[in-house]
């Protein structure tokens, strides 16, 4: 999710620069995109809830009878909890890219060559990233109903993230030899894949 939000933030940099050229404050820009994230998260959570209801209703009784279960339902508290967790996790993952966007300068709209240095993490972004990690750990503990299980889930997600980062770096390294390809499209794709700051 963090990569998705960071990519979306990069694609919205020109919009932020334009808003600031028109006089919008950093607070106004940040508030606008937080609302966008919340609307998208709410839509995704409601969609997920609808899919969950459809899945529950589609389970045949023949599958439940051997388990001694007559019916399965999604309670109002479970649905509310699911929507709230969806909103919270989406907002947590979006905070760091959004905080970095607030420092975008209007001048970058005219100087595209400096866009690569537009967003450098500051103290607030680092503190927010640490707080986001702690909050996600608390969400995992809350959902699991156990500190131990929550820690296991969080460690598993962290290990998965590290493995994905390692796999991506290996992929970039292994494909770098294709930069000498005679096919322009392949050569251009490999160069773009390995450029500094590429999401």
């Amino acid at each position: 999710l963090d990569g998705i939000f960071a990519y979306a933030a990069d694609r919205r940099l020109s919009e932020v620069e334009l808003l600031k050229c028109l006089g919008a404050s950093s607070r106004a820009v940040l508030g606008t995109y937080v609302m966008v994230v919340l609307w998208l998260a709410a839509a995704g959570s409601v969609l997920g809830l609808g899919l969950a209801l459809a899945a529950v209703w589609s389970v045949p009784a023949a599958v439940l009878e051997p388990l001694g279960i007559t019916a399965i339902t999604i309670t109002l508290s479970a649905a509310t909890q699911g929507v709230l967790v969806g909103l919270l996790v989406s907002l947590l993952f979006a905070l760091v890219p959004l905080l970095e966007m607030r420092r975008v300068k209007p001048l970058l709209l005219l100087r595209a060559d400096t866009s690569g240095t537009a967003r450098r993490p500051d103290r607030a972004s680092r503190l927010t990233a640490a707080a986001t990690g702690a909050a996600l750990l608390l969400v995992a503990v809350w959902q699991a109903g156990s500190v131990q299980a929550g820690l296991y889930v969080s460690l598993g997600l962290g290990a998965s993230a590290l493995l994905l980062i390692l796999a991506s770096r290996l992929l970039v390294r292994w494909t770098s030899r294709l930069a000498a390809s005679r096919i322009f499209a392949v050569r251009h794709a490999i160069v773009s894949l390995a450029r500094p700051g590429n999401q």
Side-chain angles (χ1 to χ4, degrees):
L1 279 175
D2 184 50
I4 294 174
F5 281 123
Y7 175 75
D10 283 340
R11 296 296 298 270
R12 294 292 181 266
L13 280 181
S14 59
E15 296 178 10
V16 174
E17 294 155 6
L18 181 58
L19 287 172
K20 289 197 172 184
C21 284
L22 295 175
S25 65
S26 296
R27 181 176 297 181
V29 171
L30 182 61
T32 299
Y33 281 98
V34 166
M35 289 301 299
V36 170
V37 168
L38 288 176
W39 275 110
L40 292 174
S45 298
V46 171
L47 177 61
L49 180 59
L51 293 174
L53 288 171
V56 166
W57 289 337
S58 64
V59 176
V63 174
L64 301 177
E65 289 177 358
L67 302 175
I69 302 174
T70 56
I72 53 176
T73 59
I74 296 178
T75 63
L76 179 60
S77 62
T80 303
Q81 183 177 347
V83 172
L84 289 177
V85 169
L87 290 171
L88 178 61
V89 171
S90 298
L91 183 59
L92 287 174
F93 273 108
L95 276 180
V96 174
L98 289 178
L99 282 175
E100 293 176 358
M101 286 174 64
R102 83 192 191 283
R103 304 181 63 201
V104 171
K105 305 298 183 184
L107 181 62
L108 296 177
L109 187 64
L110 304 176
R111 297 180 60 187
D113 60 312
T114 61
S115 62
T117 59
R119 296 188 298 113
R120 292 181 178 177
D122 56 2
R123 183 179 180 184
S125 296
R126 294 188 183 97
L127 289 176
T128 302
T132 297
L136 291 172
L137 173 61
L138 292 176
V139 170
V141 171
W142 171 40
Q143 289 295 295
S146 166
V147 175
Q148 185 178 9
L151 287 173
Y152 284 151
V153 169
S154 300
L155 289 174
L157 290 175
S160 300
L162 290 176
L163 287 174
L164 288 174
I165 292 172
L166 177 61
S168 66
R169 291 183 177 179
L170 289 175
L171 177 64
V172 171
R173 178 176 297 181
W174 289 341
T175 56
S176 61
R177 65 188 64 182
L178 295 177
S181 172
R182 295 181 179 180
I183 304 175
F184 172 77
V186 174
R187 189 168 65 250
H188 179 70
I190 296 302
V191 171
S192 298
L193 181 66
R195 78 178 189 271
N198 186 16
Q199 293 293 337

